[in-house]
Amino acid sequence: MTDANHVPVLDALAEVLKQRRHANPEDSYVASLHHKGLNTILEKVGEEATETLLAAKDAEHGSEQDREALIAETADLWFHSLVMLSHLDLDHQRVLDELARRFGISGHDEKASRS
């Protein structure tokens, strides 16, 4: 979805998350997460991270179905990470900007620059 006629999926998802943040928690999963607070959102991120790790282990020598499960779990992890950022009033574009900043920099050099 990089075509100029399409809104990038992360931008579209961020807009939906923004709209649903203050919706009725009984009507919206996203609103229910925000209503329950940051700790609940962080628990979901942690849960999805664990499920992603387990799916990756299965996918390493697994079937195409195992690899598809990894894609689904990664999507869940990214989704809940976006909810976390939204809850903290942080724009996902800042993460993309940080990734872009690191592009072309050695991972070892980038990590060393953080200390």
Side-chain angles (χ1 to χ4, degrees):
M1 293 185 74
T2 57
D3 185 297
N5 295 325
H6 295 93
V7 175
V9 68
L10 286 178
D11 291 341
L13 182 55
E15 185 58 36
V16 169
L17 292 177
K18 182 178 176 182
Q19 292 170 4
R20 294 189 183 162
R21 181 173 180 174
H22 300 291
N24 184 339
E26 294 179 12
D27 297 334
S28 166
Y29 174 68
V30 170
S32 72
L33 288 173
H34 285 292
H35 180 75
K36 291 174 185 173
L38 182 60
N39 283 345
T40 296
I41 295 167
L42 296 177
E43 287 172 6
K44 283 302 293 181
V45 172
E47 175 187 319
E48 297 303 342
T50 299
E51 290 174 2
T52 301
L53 295 174
L54 294 172
K57 292 296 283 180
D58 291 343
E60 183 178 26
H61 301 292
S63 66
E64 185 58 31
Q65 185 176 358
D66 292 327
R67 297 174 74 75
E68 289 299 320
L70 174 57
I71 297 299
E73 292 300 343
T74 302
D76 289 346
L77 176 59
W78 288 11
F79 174 83
H80 287 90
S81 295
L82 289 170
V83 172
M84 174 191 66
L85 291 172
S86 171
H87 190 80
L88 296 169
D89 292 320
L90 292 169
D91 190 323
H92 70 279
Q93 186 60 50
R94 292 183 61 185
V95 176
L96 297 176
D97 292 345
E98 177 61 16
L99 289 170
R101 183 192 69 78
R102 295 180 186 184
F103 205 82
I105 299 173
S106 156
H108 295 295
D109 292 342
E110 192 285 323
K111 189 171 182 180
S113 74
R114 289 188 256 159
S115 20

